[in-house]
């Protein structure tokens, strides 16, 4: 009981930072911060000086490194002074928890020190290419230094810095944690969220807000699942008919300017966008403009024989017209993406071979017939991707189900049981994890299919989806990407992604379904799933109030994240505990 | 297969009305509506005339009946002209689904005919006291007549009327369903939602928006669970310390003016507010101002022995000071409520007898000792309620667990297995249903308790809550309040409520968790759970697009309801079916 009593007595916001840093010590002194505090950005070749406030309106100019730091300073200003909150939820009710507003001591200066010049390509980082680690020191007299080997690391450090501060009900912002020393670096290089913007359309603002929330959780990838069977919102100037007929409706498309805006916004916040065009299945929305390219289109009512979801349909597998289409598509699209990302996702999940029996260029569902055709298909697509200077990402089925050969540069995205990641890494491939039993954030809301009467009332009641139950933050948080991976293969686990499929998700419920649960994954990916002190899963009791704080911070920046606990649980420390001893009684 | 093909070919919005009326026929002609169409309200003693638009700003004056009809007309105006939407989701993509804007035919007139004068008390209706049924006729030439025996029925009819219309992308509003004839009346008299505003604080706007959404679904009760162990937001002028110390914080209280506003808003929309002060358990928030009245306050860490949730605490059971407190409380509160409601909920759930062992006025957990004390307690409280002219509502434990005697006027609210409602009605009591296995809308989001390390990773993984899984709309919709109730007891099932407890619900996620699932319950309560044609559960295939339409209507009026299906499923009829035959293959 001693340990728990100790936890409950901790000031709940003592830690305050999410994800938890590798090494972290702090005091309990109050320091205020003024919005005109001087900031210097020193790197081996350059020196810049501005005030926190002035940077917010500073022009977006300079090298990639300078632009990244400028953006980070601007977001820090907005976070501390415009998107902060009074932490009433985390203090005893009606208590006098705020510091006095007399005799304020202020942060004196903020020095951003980059001790290495960024290599080229900091706006399109490859996994692990730039050191995102940083050291943050808040001295007792208010001198702040953030040190990193890269501009991206400085940005991560500034993000941490903002989380030390709260709004005061009488105005101004303060930390109660001075002095501070943090040494921090990420456990995994690829920390992402997969956002399906095809099954439902999401306005640009929703995507930008998501990127901002990812960056605030030190995530660094937005996987944009931008086309699927249900709609094709992506405008391709060389193939304008694709979105003109395949989008859900007028105005529900992403123009080249929209794509540029999303990628640039992400690159400056250290969140690389990984666009996916899923293929050769999941492409039936192409039928609306190019029916000649699609086999097994919208077979009804027996869609289930031909696809994982209605409408069925796949690009034909042995068709010169399809190859010509792919060439036109990628020659238009990829050169526009490659200045701001190093990755492109070519999909490849959930093919049903039966569809190719209806494909007039194949007329077979025999794997022996299909395998070489699929190999030629993926080789062709990956050549387009590499010709544009990009690295392909694929779903696990490419190597695990269809037995295709892909380059060792390719990131293989596992989404099924832990055995998938084991198999991928045992083949010597790099893997991204995100087991649907843990990290599918859309699960558990019930089936979206309408059940025929009779069937409904019997076999499928209560109409759970295949990946039920809903994954609570505790379950998301309990997932270790290294589960079952042999020590000598762990370096191949590049990172992972949480997933938000959009069968039942649109702009109105995206935020609440994504946050704060994606933040739980962010801590696993940045800090590791295990508590270094115990080697066991990290403590929910320690994490819970910190996650609740992150939730409030997300709400303050416009993200409608769900609550973690009722205020009572948090107002006097962690008061809502389930003890082992309860079961002995 | 024939039946299903037929369903899929139906225009998905043919029905358009939620909940489904008892009898409904319509054509396929287009009629537009102008916002200056003349409306007459004819009742036996009065005649009123105004335009749809003008009524929106009309003064809130006249008798209760007049005020109700005036409010209904005003909401109809806003719904049709300000809170409508273009139904792109429900029509083939890029199709020309909207009527031509030339040669428009218009609704000519709207006659509201009340063929009986409302008895006194229409602003505080008892269950079944006023006929909410109505007949709605839209003639081929655009003459509209809504007939009812009460002003509340006219309001329900006007609500239905608005659901015939959509916004046109070029402006204006139209129906494609003329002519129409609807004869409609509710299956159950009490159709409610229980909103917990104690565990989290909800701003007034959230409550008013919920009332509006309830009325739009022909629900007629808002159960306001306004105090609990975690906070006491209700201001009581005679006991100002209660909320001054027991609320979550400054500004998180409901003043008498707030309460008046909520009740009035509800009464005019035909949604009676049923406030609950849960007792004698669930009262530990009183401790902050009156520690002398509370036993077993916040026992930690073993709260689980003394209460269903932390913080533990109960009003003392044999204390003159408690009785004095109750008298002061109810003499202040109840006379302010009784002009606008006929009900008051006195709670009574989840007592743990162990708490009374720590009660210095009792010092026993022996049911034989506690039963007479509880009987005296409930008798006293119910006398206060009846003295104010109100009917008590209680949780099922009062009669099923503590074996107390209450009057036959009391509504007993069941929340557990169907056996509860059976037992209550077998005792000859009136029952409200809302089995937590079906109608607890907060369930399935995972535990809100923090598990001690070790326990967590073993026994309780994956940290589901007691009432998991999340209840999808299909599950909510499958619940029949009459399940297991003998024919001769069915008249005692007065109705039911869906529940939204607030351990993990606050203003940011309330709407999405409540809607459209509460609407699924609304149809069960208004229309009945069974399809009259088959005697079986109603078809998901028929309901799904109609519910999706209701979702869009709720979004248009500012309620952030969750999506039902992706647009693909709805754009060419019901395309996302799971057939019985799938399992034969």
């Amino acid at each position: 009981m001693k340990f728990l009593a100790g936890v409950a007595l901790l000031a709940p916001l003592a830690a305050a930072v999410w994800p938890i840093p590798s090494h972290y010590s702090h005091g309990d002194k109050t320091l205020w911060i003024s919005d005109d505090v001087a900031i210097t950005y020193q790197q081996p070749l350059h020196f810049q000086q501005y005030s926190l406030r002035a940077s917010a309106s500073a022009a977006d100019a300079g090298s990639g490194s300078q632009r990244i730091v400028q953006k980070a300073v601007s977001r820090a200003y907005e976070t501390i002074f415009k998107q902060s909150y009074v932490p009433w939820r985390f203090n005893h009710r009606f208590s006098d928890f705020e510091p006095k507003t007399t005799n304020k001591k202020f942060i004196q200066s903020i020095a951003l020190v980059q001790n290495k010049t960024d290599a080229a390509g900091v706006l399109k980082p490859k996994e692990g290419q730039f050191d995102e680690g940083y050291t943050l020191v808040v001295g007792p007299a208010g001198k702040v230094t953030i040190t990193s080997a890269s501009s991206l690391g400085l940005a991560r450090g500034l993000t941490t810095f903002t989380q030390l501060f709260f709004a005061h009900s009488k105005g101004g912002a303060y930390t109660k944690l001075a002095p501070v020393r943090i040494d921090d670096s990420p456990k995994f290089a690829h920390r992402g969220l997969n956002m399906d913007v095809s099954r439902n359309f999401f306005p640009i603002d929703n995507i930008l807000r998501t990127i901002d929330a990812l960056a605030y959780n030190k995530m660094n990838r937005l996987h944009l699942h931008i086309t699927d069977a249900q709609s094709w919102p992506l405008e391709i100037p060389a193939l304008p008919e694709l979105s003109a007929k395949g989008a859900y409706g007028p105005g529900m498309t992403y123009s080249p300017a929209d794509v540029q805006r999303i990628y640039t916004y992400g690159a400056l916040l250290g969140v690389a966008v990984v666009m996916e065009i899923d293929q050769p299945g999941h492409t039936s929305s192409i039928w609306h403009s190019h029916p000649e390219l699609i086999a097994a289109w919208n077979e009804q009512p027996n869609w289930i024989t031909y696809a994982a979801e209605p409408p069925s349909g796949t690009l034909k597998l042995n068709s010169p017209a399809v190859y010509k289409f792919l060439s036109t598509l990628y020659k238009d699209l990829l050169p526009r993406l490659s200045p701001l990302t190093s990755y492109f996702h070519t999909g490849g999940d959930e093919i049903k071979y039966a569809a190719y029996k209806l494909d007039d260029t194949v007329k077979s569902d025999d794997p022996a017939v299909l395998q070489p055709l699929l190999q030629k298909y993926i080789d062709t697509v990956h050549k387009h991707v590499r010709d544009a200077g990009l690295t392909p990402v694929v779903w696990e089925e490419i190597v695990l189900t269809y037995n295709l050969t892909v380059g060792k540069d390719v990131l293989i995205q596992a989404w099924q049981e832990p055995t998938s990641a084991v198999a991928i890494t045992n083949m010597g491939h790099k893997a991204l994890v995100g087991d649907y039993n843990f990290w599918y954030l859309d699960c558990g809301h019930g089936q979206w299919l309408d059940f025929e009467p009779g069937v409904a009332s019997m076999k499928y009641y209560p109409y759970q989806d295949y990946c039920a139950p809903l994954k609570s933050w505790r379950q998301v948080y309990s997932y270790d990407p290294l589960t079952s991976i042999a020590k000598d293969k762990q370096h191949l686990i590049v990172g992972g992604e949480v997933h938000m499929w959009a069968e039942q998700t649109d702009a109105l419920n995206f935020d609440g379904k994504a946050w704060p649960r994606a933040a739980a994954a962010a801590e696993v990916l940045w800090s590791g799933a295990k508590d270094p002190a115990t080697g066991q899963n990290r403590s929910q009791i320690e994490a819970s109030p910190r996650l609740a704080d992150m939730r409030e911070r997300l709400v303050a920046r416009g993200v409608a994240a769900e609550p973690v606990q009722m205020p009572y649980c948090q107002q006097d420390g962690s008061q809502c505990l389930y003890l082992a001893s309860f079961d002995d009684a």
Side-chain angles (χ1 to χ4, degrees), chain A residues 299-358:
Chain A
E299 290 290 328
Q300 288 282 19
N302 286 316
W303 56 266
I304 206 165
T305 306
Y306 304 99
E309 290 184 355
S312 61
T314 173
L315 281 168
K316 293 179 180 176
L317 212 50
N318 196 16
S319 156
V322 165
Y323 281 111
K324 186 165 172 243
F325 167 84
L326 293 174
S327 174
T328 308
L329 169 64
Y330 290 123
K331 281 183 178 149
D332 178 309
L333 176 65
L334 299 180
R336 292 189 278 112
L337 310 183
S338 56
L340 291 164
T341 188
S342 287
Y343 299 96
F344 185 81
H345 199 310
T346 62
D349 57 327
E350 298 185 319
I351 290 174
K352 291 211 177 181
Y353 291 169
Y356 299 110
K357 213 162 177 179
L358 305 187

Side-chain angles (χ1 to χ4, degrees), chain A residues 175-360:
Chain A
T175 179
K176 278 176 158 180
L177 299 171
V180 177
R181 182 180 174 99
I182 292 175
D183 294 280
D184 199 13
S185 63
K187 177 95 174 169
F188 295 100
H190 183 119
R191 306 179 302 277
L193 176 141
N194 172 23
M195 184 173 181
D196 170 6
V197 297
S198 165
R199 290 187 174 89
N200 263 294
F201 179 77
F202 292 78
I204 302 291
D205 282 352
N206 199 149
I207 298 174
L208 301 184
R209 186 169 72 245
T210 301
I211 289 173
D212 181 69
L214 289 170
Y216 201 60
N217 282 277
K218 300 194 176 76
M219 306 271 268
N220 65 359
R221 297 290 185 268
L222 175 69
H223 171 173
L224 211 52
H225 183 90
I226 205 166
T227 63
D228 209 305
Q230 290 79 13
S231 87
W232 185 288
L234 181 64
E235 291 183 26
I236 301 293
L239 298 160
E241 65 281 4
L242 268 176
S243 61
K245 297 186 175 176
Y248 266 135
M252 281 177 277
T253 61
Y254 302 110
S255 70
D258 294 334
V259 169
Q260 175 75 17
R261 191 168 160 217
I262 292 166
Y263 272 70
T264 303
Y265 190 79
L268 294 181
L269 286 171
V271 178
V273 180
V274 182
M275 182 186 288
E276 176 189 1
I277 294 193
D278 203 353
Q279 58 197 304
H282 288 275
T283 48
S284 27
S285 56
I286 295 172
W287 178 89
H288 296 284
S289 55
H290 293 273
E292 74 284 2
L293 304 181
I294 300 295
W297 156 252
N298 203 16
E299 290 290 328
Q300 288 282 19
N302 286 316
W303 56 266
I304 206 165
T305 306
Y306 304 99
E309 290 184 355
S312 61
T314 173
L315 281 168
K316 293 179 180 176
L317 212 50
N318 196 16
S319 156
V322 165
Y323 281 111
K324 186 165 172 243
F325 167 84
L326 293 174
S327 174
T328 308
L329 169 64
Y330 290 123
K331 281 183 178 149
D332 178 309
L333 176 65
L334 299 180
R336 292 189 278 112
L337 310 183
S338 56
L340 291 164
T341 188
S342 287
Y343 299 96
F344 185 81
H345 199 310
T346 62
D349 57 327
E350 298 185 319
I351 290 174
K352 291 211 177 181
Y353 291 169
Y356 299 110
K357 213 162 177 179
L358 305 187
D359 177 348
D360 58 5

Side-chain angles (χ1 to χ4, degrees), chain A residues 1 9 26 45 52 63 90 111 150 194 207 219 230-231 261 271 297-298 314 344 349 365 377 405 422 467 483 536 584:
Chain A
M1 216 49 50
L9 286 173
H26 64 80
L45 296 179
L52 193 50
S63 71
F90 303 102
S150 82
N194 172 23
I207 298 174
M219 306 271 268
Q230 290 79 13
S231 87
R261 191 168 160 217
V271 178
W297 156 252
N298 203 16
T314 173
F344 185 81
D349 57 327
D365 58 1
Y377 184 94
T405 303
V422 171
C467 53
T483 301
Q536 299 300 307
D584 307 332

Side-chain angles (χ1 to χ4, degrees), chain A residues 10-54:
Chain A
L10 274 178
L13 290 181
V17 180
W18 191 279
I20 193 84
S22 317
H23 298 92
Y24 180 12
S25 63
H26 64 80
D28 61 359
K29 296 284 179 289
T30 296
L31 280 175
W32 295 74
I33 186 166
S34 156
D35 65 0
D36 61 0
V37 62
I39 303 195
T40 53
Y41 170 34
Q42 175 73 57
Q43 52 172 320
L45 296 179
H46 295 282
F47 179 84
Q48 275 183 292
Q49 187 160 21
Y50 31 60
S51 84
L52 193 50
R53 181 177 45 201

Side-chain angles (χ1 to χ4, degrees), chain A residues 68-101:
Chain A
I68 285 169
V69 170
Q70 206 157 43
K71 183 77 177 175
V73 171
S74 143
R75 288 302 288 125
Y77 166 77
E78 288 159 16
T79 299
I80 295 173
F81 298 103
K82 310 273 186 185
Q83 298 173 326
S84 188
Y85 73 100
V86 175
W88 66 268
R89 267 179 199 263
F90 303 102
N91 291 280
H92 189 69
R93 63 185 77 189
F94 299 104
S95 65
D96 198 14
F97 63 84
E98 295 185 304
K100 300 268 176 291
T101 53

